Amino acid sequence: MTAAPGRRSSTFTRLLRHGFTDASAAERLLDSPELVPLRDDPVLLDALGATADPDLALLGLVRLLEAQPDPGARRELLDTLISSKPLRDRLLGVLGASTALADHLTRHPEDWQALVMYEAYDLHPGVEEFEAGLAEADDPVSLRVAYRRCLLSIAARDVCGTTGVAESAAELADLATATLRAALGLARAAAPEDDALCRLAVIAMGKCGGHELNYVSDVDVIFVAEPAEEADETKALRAATRLASHLMRICSETTVEGSIWPVDANLRPEGRNGPLVRTLSSHLAYYQRWAKTWEFQALLKARPVAGDLELGEEYVAAVQPLVWKAAERENFVPDVQKMRRRVVENIPAAEVDRQLKLGPGGLRDVEFAVQLLQLVHGRADTSLRSGTTLDALGALAAGGYVGRADAAQLDEAYRFLRTMEHRIQLFRLRRTHLVPEEEAELRRIGRSLGLRTDPVAELLREWKRHATVVRRLHEKLFYRPLLDAVAQLATGEARLSAEAARERMVALGYADPASALRHLEALASGVTRKAAIQRTLLPVLLGWFADSADPDAGLLNFRKVSDALGKTPWYLRLLRDEGAAAENLARVLSAGRLAPDLLMRAPEAVALLGDGDGGGLEPRSRAHLEQEILAAVGRADGAAQAVAAARGVRRRELFRTAAADIVGSYGTEEQPAEADQGALVDRVGGAVSDLTAATLAGTLRAVVRDGWGDSLPTRFAIIGMGRFGGHELGYGSDADVLFVHEPRDGVDEREASQAANKVVSEMRRLLQIPSADPPLLIDADLRPEGKSGPLVRTLTSYAAYYRRWSLTWESHALLRAEPVAGDEDLGRRFIELVDPLRYPADGLADEAVREIRRLKARMESERLPRGADPKLHAKLGPGGLSDVEWTVQLLQLRHGAAEPGLRTTRTREALAAARAAGLITDEDAATLDEAWVLATRVRNAVMLVRGRAGDTFPTEPRELAAVGRYLGYGPGHAGDMLDAYRRTARRARGVVEELFYGIAER
């Protein structure tokens, strides 16, 4: 057909105006012989322009016309298309939304007539209507054709807006029910002898059971069977299993007409490892004895759909009481905590932000929240026992279990996300929950949702808005009604009863719900601005508390901090406006005793948890700390006030270090937990060691200034030893030191010695004075002659002692010696003095090696606390800190003179140097490093959780669980943590036995 001059440009413009993206191709299709009668019909163009993808709809229409068997059939289709608006809207709507259904119509060109009907009963078909539509199918292929024909009508009503997403999902579930019945009928017809032996019921689960199925989804089922009258049970179960397997194949297998959908029976007892079919009594025995909370959650949606419906109803009636008692089970709370933790690790990183179902703010967040609230409150309120998410959400709102405004927002968001999911799946009829990246696909989805101005931008904006609503309300949903119940503000809205509030607190992990509710009432009641902000903050904070091992402690500590800072204008503003601060505070307050204790002594340190001027949680450098402490000392009146100021800085920085450690170990919603455990250990060890050194420097300055003015009669240096010298101090470590002095020119040695001893005595006294700040204990027992020797020696005295009397253990201890405070030149000369002792030029004699082994063996037998489990003792047990450190230090003593890399006070650095020098294999070095890091983390965890130092795992369950959370183990996995520690320590002990106890032979 030849266009008149100017015709092409006019048609081209009209096509673009009607939403075509490839107007040239559309013109060619409109010029095709099949469409000549409608070439200039404005009705057709308007109808095409109303579809999700006009180009796709036009192409599909041409293909459908080409597929008609003869000109008469083609004319009938065209006449009906123009004269019947319902058919036109339905047919073109489907062709513009689904290439898969367009393909079906091309293969079965007469099926367009399924869209002609527009009677009242046609608008909302149910199971009976779909069964009638499938009735003529007599094999798997014809069943697929009939299924697609029925699906065509559902999709047509959906894309035209005749039905909403909830109605479409219900129709899809009804079609699945009819399909399962038809498939079972085919299976029975193929094996009548099996059918005669058993009664088989098909129970729909998941979205099919909940009457909210997707276009393309696994159909979850459970099979239950009983013997037919007088049949043998074993034979009956075998027959039922064959029927069930055949049913699954009929639906799942791919034929020339494709497949229908996979039938998934993995929700059955024992999953894929259990028998496919069980009797009712076998099901009940499993659920009563072995089932986990998630299995009862799944049973919320159980619904008999096919086979022996009487047996199916018996099954549902038998399991329902168990479902509603799930919240009373012993492990319900840890199970809930595990389920509440969003699991996205299995989603490829590139897909997380495109996940409609599993990503943050996705469909699963809504469904899980609703189901959990049903389990908690459905025991007493039967109105909540619906398997359909939106119906259950409405019932929760009507009963006051969820705020009405929150429920309305969540309902709207869920409908939008489900509609989006439907449109994505409908296009190719493929199972996916990923939002596509291609602009053309996004445009089609946006237009199908009525977004026509800028479909792609509007779609992405609306999606993110609804996902944000879900994400924000997900936790709020659990806690907002609790606050409404205690605050007693809103009138005219149903509230949780006291018993319902208590039940919910118990379900979310609170051991003392009555106290928890009193804390909420104290925080959130009233009409003040402070109470209003608390009501905004608390729903989210309570969720973070519930994610910890001790929610009660978290809430109590938050009340204490809020009481202390309630009148401070910046406190609530910090938590409300700085995203990280509130979550960081929740993690810190519920992770154990140490960090909250440090915070309670000076609550203003909460500012460190934000991102602003408080400096954040990054550790401060040694120079920065020393500068601040020395400045505070310089401003103070007298040594006592100066050291109090230094201890105040130490307390604040201990809190900063502990808070950073907790947040790094737990992770946050925006930042996952630190994967490098060694980095966490190094950060804590370095920060606490630098802080201790700066505190000692400030205390030394204060004592000298108070007693002698600007200058002490003797040069004075403090040498860090043990973990202090190794930059490996933990939260509860003493400061192991040596004191060395050197009289100034013209000063009598006795006077110098008295001054040095007085300095040490005063430093120890001031650092241990009872106060709100934690004491710093100074331990000088590693000095020559131990506790029997003088507390302070001159450098000359050290030289004389080491030359004449030094023992092997002292050379061993000096491996960790490093100047930490005082006269830098004197400290450097002390190190020069001891280097030949700790790195002997000729290595160690065999006798010295044997002596070190004897010392180690004696320490293992004598110092391990009575009754302690050696395999779980992080310091002295097999594969613990002592094992690793002594092994590394023996390598340093033997090879330090020849290998400069070994001349370090730090265990991990020395181990890496030994590996680089070929003194230990890569595998052995990795084994020792892993064990040392884990043992150090255990000790840090115990101190953080209990508030006092310890070398073994706690025995109290909540404390043990808190240690587990710090180490990365979820609720209910404390046993896994202990097993993992034993394995790691056992492997390390094997390396130690070879390297340490057999080192002379290497």
Side-chain angles (χ1 to χ4, degrees):
M1 180 177 180
T2 305
R7 166 89 177 271
R8 178 179 175 82
S9 60
S10 172
T11 304
F12 192 90
T13 303
R14 285 172 60 208
L15 290 170
L16 289 177
R17 193 168 61 247
H18 278 85
F20 287 85
T21 57
D22 189 346
S24 297
E27 276 191 305
R28 288 193 296 273
L29 289 171
L30 286 169
D31 283 337
S32 63
E34 291 78 14
L35 279 179
V36 166
L38 302 180
R39 176 68 176 77
D40 296 311
D41 192 320
V43 172
L44 176 63
L45 269 187
D46 288 344
L48 287 168
T51 65
D53 188 335
D55 301 83
L56 195 64
L58 177 57
L59 176 61
L61 178 59
V62 171
R63 290 175 63 206
L64 177 57
L65 287 166
E66 290 173 343
Q68 295 304 308
D70 54 60
R74 191 177 304 129
R75 190 163 47 253
E76 181 187 2
L77 171 56
L78 285 173
D79 290 347
T80 313
L81 189 70
I82 294 304
S83 63
S84 171
K85 185 178 188 304
L87 171 73
R88 188 166 60 244
D89 291 343
R90 288 179 173 195
L91 178 58
L92 295 182
V94 167
L95 292 174
S98 176
T99 58
L101 290 177
D103 290 343
H104 171 84
L105 284 168
T106 303
R107 289 195 306 274
H108 304 281
E110 71 286 353
D111 277 3
W112 65 268
Q113 299 194 35
L115 303 179
V116 174
M117 296 297 295
Y118 203 72
E119 303 300 331
Y121 68 83
D122 179 49
L123 293 181
H124 301 290
V127 177
E128 288 184 15
E129 287 77 17
F130 289 127
E131 282 190 287
L134 303 177
E136 295 182 8
D138 55 6
D139 60 43
V141 173
S142 59
L143 180 61
R144 279 152 177 71
V145 175
Y147 173 83
R148 289 289 173 94
R149 190 182 304 122
C150 293
L151 191 66
L152 189 65
S153 66
I154 295 174
R157 287 187 295 276
D158 181 8
V159 297
C160 291
T162 307
T163 54
V165 65
E167 293 82 3
S168 298
E171 289 181 15
L172 289 164
D174 285 342
L175 175 56
T177 296
T179 306
L180 288 169
R181 291 179 182 179
L184 182 56
L186 293 177
R188 284 170 163 170
E193 66 284 356
D194 284 342
D195 185 34
L197 284 172
C198 64
R199 299 167 61 202
L200 175 64
V202 184
I203 311 297
M205 304 287 285
K207 282 188 161 48
C208 183
H211 232 74
E212 50 189 12
L213 197 60
N214 295 330
Y215 276 102
V216 188
S217 173
D218 291 356
V219 170
D220 296 309
V221 299
I222 284 177
F223 296 107
V224 58
E226 293 292 338
E229 192 172 343
E230 298 182 2
D232 175 73
E233 182 175 301
T234 302
K235 291 180 179 179
L237 284 176
R238 288 175 183 163
T241 300
R242 287 191 291 270
L243 289 172
S245 300
H246 194 185
L247 177 154
M248 295 174 72
R249 290 196 303 276
I250 289 170
C251 295
S252 305
E253 286 182 346
T254 301
T255 71
V256 291
E257 288 291 338
S259 67
I260 301 177
W261 17 247
V263 176
D264 187 342
N266 287 336
L267 291 178
R268 66 185 184 269
E270 300 180 76
R272 64 185 60 198
N273 297 318
L276 181 63
V277 182
R278 290 174 183 256
T279 62
L280 177 55
S281 60
S282 176
H283 276 283
L284 288 176
Y286 173 84
Y287 287 126
Q288 288 167 345
R289 188 168 185 186
W290 304 111
K292 296 181 174 60
T293 300
W294 71 263
E295 293 177 278
F296 294 113
Q297 183 181 5
L299 285 169
L300 275 171
K301 295 182 179 291
R303 180 171 65 93
V305 291
D308 190 317
L309 295 182
E310 183 181 347
L311 176 58
E313 293 291 355
E314 289 177 25
Y315 171 88
V316 171
V319 298
Q320 285 301 298
L322 301 177
V323 171
W324 303 115
K325 290 180 180 176
E328 301 171 4
R329 290 161 55 87
E330 182 180 353
N331 293 320
F332 181 73
V333 170
D335 284 349
V336 165
Q337 287 179 316
K338 278 187 282 189
M339 291 190 294
R340 284 181 63 253
R341 294 167 62 80
R342 189 179 290 116
V343 182
V344 295
E345 287 83 356
N346 295 328
I347 306 174
E351 294 183 0
V352 171
D353 292 335
R354 297 166 50 214
Q355 262 281 354
L356 269 178
K357 180 179 180 180
L358 301 177
L363 292 162
R364 192 183 65 171
D365 277 355
V366 182
E367 292 159 359
F368 173 81
V370 169
Q371 290 162 21
L372 177 57
L373 290 175
Q374 285 180 280
L375 285 176
V376 172
H377 299 298
R379 290 181 291 175
D381 189 341
T382 57
S383 70
L384 305 181
R385 298 180 182 183
S386 170
T388 307
T389 301
L390 291 174
D391 290 350
L393 180 58
L396 286 165
Y401 303 100
V402 172
R404 289 187 186 276
D406 292 346
Q409 288 188 65
L410 214 55
D411 182 285
E412 180 189 4
Y414 187 74
R415 289 177 189 272
F416 179 87
L417 295 173
R418 282 300 303 273
T419 304
M420 218 176 140
E421 182 184 44
H422 277 194
R423 298 292 192 269
I424 292 169
Q425 293 185 348
L426 181 59
F427 182 49
R428 293 189 181 91
L429 287 182
R430 291 181 184 168
R431 183 173 183 262
T432 180
H433 307 287
L434 288 180
V435 177
E437 296 177 294
E438 297 78 9
E439 184 165 336
E441 296 200 33
L442 292 171
R443 181 177 183 273
R444 186 192 66 256
I445 297 166
R447 284 176 59 88
S448 78
L449 296 174
L451 308 173
R452 298 298 171 95
T453 306
D454 185 354
V456 175
E458 290 178 64
L459 172 69
L460 295 177
R461 184 166 58 247
E462 283 297 290
W463 171 34
K464 294 302 180 187
R465 179 176 74 83
H466 285 296
T468 300
V469 166
V470 171
R471 195 172 181 183
R472 178 172 56 82
L473 291 180
H474 177 238
E475 294 293 348
K476 184 182 175 184
L477 203 66
F478 297 109
Y479 300 105
R480 171 62 64 195
L482 292 168
L483 297 179
D484 292 343
V486 298
Q488 299 289 315
L489 285 179
T491 57
E493 180 161 326
R495 285 199 190 92
L496 287 182
S497 66
E499 179 59 21
R502 189 198 69 79
E503 285 178 340
R504 188 172 301 190
M505 295 302 278
V506 169
L508 293 162
Y510 289 83
D512 186 353
S515 294
L517 289 168
R518 283 197 300 273
H519 298 324
L520 290 183
E521 184 175 4
L523 289 163
S525 292
V527 294
T528 64
R529 180 172 173 274
K530 181 177 81 169
I533 296 176
Q534 287 281 24
R535 287 193 293 274
T536 302
L537 291 169
L538 275 165
V540 183
L541 286 168
L542 286 167
W544 287 324
F545 293 148
D547 196 36
S548 74
D550 195 349
D552 299 81
L555 180 55
L556 172 61
N557 289 330
F558 179 68
R559 181 181 176 184
K560 288 179 179 177
V561 172
S562 295
D563 287 348
L565 294 176
K567 295 181 181 179
T568 310
W570 55 264
Y571 167 61
L572 289 174
R573 189 169 63 245
L574 170 83
L575 298 184
R576 182 191 63 193
D577 298 341
E578 291 201 27
E583 185 174 5
N584 289 347
L585 179 62
R587 301 297 182 202
V588 166
L589 292 180
S590 56
R593 295 180 184 173
L594 179 65
D597 284 352
L598 292 169
L599 182 60
M600 297 308 169
R601 292 165 180 172
E604 65 276 3
V606 93
L608 300 178
L609 299 171
D611 305 318
D613 299 333
L617 296 180
E618 284 298 311
R620 294 189 170 185
S621 67
R622 163 88 174 269
H624 189 126
L625 292 169
E626 199 163 308
Q627 181 183 21
E628 180 183 2
I629 287 176
L630 291 177
V633 166
R635 293 189 297 269
D637 294 327
Q641 190 181 100
V643 175
R647 289 175 66 181
V649 173
R650 177 172 176 263
R651 180 210 62 246
R652 183 197 69 211
E653 294 304 318
L654 278 175
F655 173 74
R656 188 198 305 269
T657 303
D661 190 18
I662 290 165
V663 171
S665 298
Y666 272 60
T668 65
E669 290 192 353
E670 299 297 330
Q671 187 73 33
E674 171 67 64
D676 185 352
Q677 304 290 298
L680 286 169
V681 164
D682 292 343
R683 204 173 300 146
V684 171
V688 177
S689 299
D690 286 347
L691 178 57
T692 301
T695 304
L696 290 178
T699 304
L700 176 60
R701 172 76 64 86
V703 169
V704 170
R705 189 190 65 177
D706 201 49
W708 292 272
D710 292 334
S711 179
L712 192 66
T714 185
R715 295 181 182 84
F716 187 89
I718 303 174
I719 311 298
M721 300 288 284
R723 298 194 173 285
F724 187 15
H727 298 258
E728 297 162 359
L729 283 180
Y731 299 110
S733 302
D734 296 347
D736 288 320
V737 298
L738 298 178
F739 299 108
V740 57
H741 76 104
E742 184 178 65
R744 297 186 184 277
D745 293 342
V747 175
D748 176 68
E749 187 165 323
R750 183 177 177 185
E751 178 190 350
S753 179
Q754 286 176 340
N757 275 284
K758 187 174 181 183
V759 165
V760 172
S761 175
E762 189 65 2
M763 285 181 68
R764 297 177 85 173
R765 183 184 73 82
L766 290 171
L767 287 170
Q768 295 179 47
I769 289 176
S771 77
D773 302 312
L776 175 55
L777 302 178
I778 296 175
D779 187 339
D781 289 352
L782 292 175
R783 64 187 183 271
E785 303 179 73
K787 293 181 180 179
S788 305
L791 197 59
V792 190
R793 288 178 183 261
T794 63
L795 185 63
T796 305
S797 174
Y798 274 107
Y801 175 85
Y802 287 138
R803 187 170 56 250
R804 293 189 62 187
W805 307 109
S806 178
L807 300 174
T808 302
W809 74 264
E810 289 173 308
S811 297
H812 187 185
L814 287 168
L815 285 166
R816 311 273 249 164
E818 181 174 291
V820 293
D823 191 292
E824 292 182 8
D825 179 67
L826 180 58
R828 178 183 54 76
R829 285 187 284 130
F830 178 86
I831 295 302
E832 291 174 354
L833 169 67
V834 301
D835 270 351
L837 290 170
R838 56 183 181 172
Y839 310 126
D842 298 326
L844 280 185
D846 288 350
E847 179 54 38
V849 172
R850 285 192 288 273
E851 174 63 20
I852 288 174
R853 288 177 180 165
R854 281 196 296 271
L855 281 170
K856 175 77 168 70
R858 192 175 75 194
M859 185 178 73
E860 287 179 12
S861 63
E862 294 179 359
R863 293 181 59 187
L864 196 68
R866 182 178 296 177
D869 181 354
K871 293 179 181 178
L872 292 175
H873 199 281
K875 182 177 181 180
L876 300 176
L881 293 173
S882 176
D883 264 4
V884 177
E885 289 167 0
W886 281 60
T887 301
V888 172
Q889 289 157 12
L890 191 51
L891 290 171
Q892 290 180 282
L893 287 166
R894 297 197 73 204
H895 303 285
E899 295 291 344
L902 290 172
R903 298 174 208 160
T904 174
T905 61
R906 305 178 189 220
T907 301
R908 298 188 74 211
E909 276 189 15
L911 185 56
R915 183 182 61 222
L919 301 172
I920 181 174
T921 67
D922 289 353
E923 183 181 354
D924 286 351
T927 298
L928 292 181
D929 185 71
E930 180 188 9
W932 188 88
V933 166
L934 178 57
T936 304
R937 293 265 294 153
V938 169
R939 296 179 89 214
N940 285 345
V942 171
M943 184 67 188
L944 285 170
V945 169
R946 304 182 70 189
R948 60 182 187 274
D951 296 315
T952 59
F953 290 90
T955 54
E956 199 278 320
R958 282 221 168 189
E959 291 181 346
L960 186 64
V963 169
R965 289 288 288 109
Y966 173 84
L967 294 177
Y969 291 87
H973 287 280
D976 295 339
M977 169 183 67
L978 298 179
D979 289 343
Y981 180 85
R982 290 187 186 99
R983 279 195 306 273
T984 303
R986 185 169 61 248
R987 286 196 301 268
R989 180 64 176 193
V991 176
V992 169
E993 287 177 352
E994 182 183 353
L995 283 176
F996 184 81
Y997 289 105
I999 203 163
E1001 287 75 41
R1002 285 176 69 89

